Amino acid sequence: MSAILVSCAKKDSAAQLNVIYISMEDMMPSFGCYEDTIAYTPNIDKFSEDAIIFKDAHCQVALCTPSRTSILTGIRPSTSGIVKIDDDWQKMLPHATSLPRHFRNSGYHTVIAGKIHDYRSGETDDAYSKVFDIHGIDDNDLAFKAIDNAINQKKPFFLALGYSQTHDPWTPDPKSESHYSLNQFSSKDRHPYYKGELLDSTDIKNLQKKYYGEITEVDSLIGEILARIKQLELHKNSVILLGAMDHGYSFGNHSHWGKGNNYDDETRVPLLISTPGCKNLAIEALIELVDIYPTLIELCGLPNPPQSLEGISFVPLLRSKNKEWKKAVFTHRAYNKDIVGVKTKKYTFIDFEGDSVELYNRISDALNRKNIANEFPEVVSEMKILKEKGWRNAMPKENQPN
């Protein structure tokens, strides 16, 4: 296995690897390959058998535009200050080059179909050679055109496909929704108000049923893309990145339906990656979406962009999944970057600007429902120190500042 891991982590010197970047919106790790016993996701589950699955990946802000900006620039909200829907990333980060723009600058043909950037945060930096859509793919007609365009070039390509079905309102196709019934879901401990409307137990269950229907619809759409990739044998010379490239979603927990907080259900996301030669590897280490930029450029042998990247490449984990890795990952509350979440493998700690703190056991309380800060003051003290030292000091030793 170790030889395979080494080979999958290095670019084939004979050919530049392509990148196929598949993004899903507002998606919790609600796939069978993430041990979700309700989800019907046969295509993504099948893909996971030939991929690396990251079990504990987190966004930097559980809100669309700031999260996407941190992924696409490799810069954290603590540096950029970007935590709102309409923060203009090019005004706030005038010297940053986006991930797809960096690939284009490096000789790649870059293609987009669907939502990757969020235009409420400003225009892109002329990142794409060919644009088919920027809002979200309803079916795969444009996606197939994007694939055809990408392969009909005499260049390696960066292909970005963005699916928005799991963003509310949820209106899954009947076939996808038919895989679920109301009795699979529970209304217990779920917030009874959704968008200002009072819900009864059936309404709460139905919301969940609709959401899962959309998950299955996305799985079906992505299944068609994965089949096309395999038919064209693109998987043999491409990095395929698949996941929620923004954030998770609170399903009526913490007194709301939505996102924006530092709790695990809102920050934890599915993330899978396929590289030539790698398969069936589960990684438990803490990963941040800000790590995607440095990882992709290392896998493809590209130089660093003009800005300093604030994530780290997780390629070393592809070679050795048990390698010592980050002590913690850092998240920020939407619209207030000074409300900070710090997550270790065992705890979620949230500091509300020094006014109060919350502490949750991530192992026994995955939804972060029981605040145990008063019961474990010594852990609170340790987490405060981690928070004050910051993300740089939580990195693996070789990546820490001198």
Side-chain angles (χ1 to χ4, degrees), residues 117-297:
H117 301 266
D118 191 312
Y119 279 73
R120 290 172 292 183
S121 64
E123 298 293 322
T124 67
D125 51 347
D126 195 25
Y128 295 100
S129 315
K130 178 67 175 178
V131 176
F132 285 92
D133 178 82
I134 58 171
H135 299 295
I137 302 170
D138 292 326
D139 55 46
N140 274 331
D141 287 347
L142 289 180
F144 288 139
K145 289 179 181 178
I147 292 173
D148 290 343
N149 180 270
I151 63 176
N152 287 326
Q153 312 295 324
K154 295 181 179 179
K155 293 181 177 182
F157 63 80
F158 181 103
L159 170 64
L161 304 175
Y163 294 87
S164 299
Q165 279 75 7
T166 43
H167 191 293
D168 68 346
W170 303 308
T171 56
D173 66 69
K175 181 179 178 182
S176 296
E177 191 177 354
S178 70
H179 290 283
Y180 306 97
S181 60
L182 287 179
N183 61 17
Q184 291 177 279
F185 304 97
S186 172
S187 61
K188 184 180 179 182
D189 298 324
R190 307 285 182 180
H191 188 56
Y193 284 90
Y194 173 76
K195 295 188 175 180
E197 294 187 11
L198 180 63
L199 308 178
D200 62 21
S201 177
T202 300
D203 293 331
I204 292 172
K205 292 177 181 180
N206 194 51
L207 274 180
Q208 296 170 77
K209 180 171 173 278
K210 294 287 185 185
Y211 178 83
Y212 270 78
E214 292 285 24
I215 290 172
T216 296
E217 184 173 333
V218 170
D219 177 81
S220 179
L221 290 166
I222 290 176
E224 294 174 358
I225 296 300
L226 295 173
R228 180 70 170 146
I229 288 170
K230 193 165 186 179
Q231 179 188 31
L232 295 169
E233 298 189 334
L234 296 176
H235 61 292
K236 294 182 178 180
N237 65 336
S238 300
V239 178
I240 305 170
L241 190 71
L242 188 159
M245 306 305 188
D246 55 2
H247 49 73
Y249 193 86
S250 177
F251 239 42
N253 300 306
H254 311 292
S255 299
H256 84 138
W257 295 75
K259 56 261 185 172
N261 295 310
N262 293 305
Y263 303 111
D264 276 26
D265 53 350
E266 298 176 48
T267 67
R268 183 170 169 252
V269 295
L271 181 66
L272 301 97
I273 186 169
S274 168
T275 67
C278 260
K279 64 182 299 180
N280 198 21
L281 180 66
I283 293 178
E284 301 287 347
L286 288 161
I287 295 296
E288 298 171 278
L289 294 188
V290 75
D291 298 332
I292 287 174
Y293 200 139
T295 299
L296 288 179
I297 65 173

Side-chain angles (χ1 to χ4, degrees), residues 64-103:
C64 184
T65 54
S67 180
R68 291 173 187 269
T69 299
S70 67
I71 298 167
L72 292 166
T73 64
I75 298 176
R76 295 171 182 267
S78 53
T79 297
S80 69
I82 296 174
V83 292
K84 301 194 297 292
I85 284 288
D86 56 354
D87 281 334
D88 190 316
W89 75 274
Q90 288 194 85
K91 289 181 180 178
M92 298 175 74
L93 296 170
H95 304 297
T97 298
S98 74
L99 175 64
R101 177 73 241 190
H102 187 53
F103 271 85

Side-chain angles (χ1 to χ4, degrees), residues 5-65:
L5 293 182
V6 171
S7 69
C8 82
K10 292 183 179 180
K11 175 178 68 71
D12 182 352
S13 59
Q16 193 99 39
L17 289 176
N18 305 307
V19 174
I20 302 173
Y21 181 106
I22 304 174
S23 172
M24 298 167 284
E25 196 163 9
D26 285 23
M27 180 74 78
M28 298 180 290
S30 298
F31 307 137
C33 56
Y34 277 89
E35 291 86 47
D36 188 310
T37 58
I38 295 175
Y40 180 76
T41 52
N43 297 293
I44 291 172
D45 294 345
K46 180 65 176 176
F47 173 75
S48 74
E49 295 174 6
D50 294 312
I52 303 122
I53 179 169
F54 294 91
K55 296 287 191 173
D56 208 1
H58 295 264
C59 66
Q60 270 45 69
V61 181
L63 190 68
C64 184
T65 54

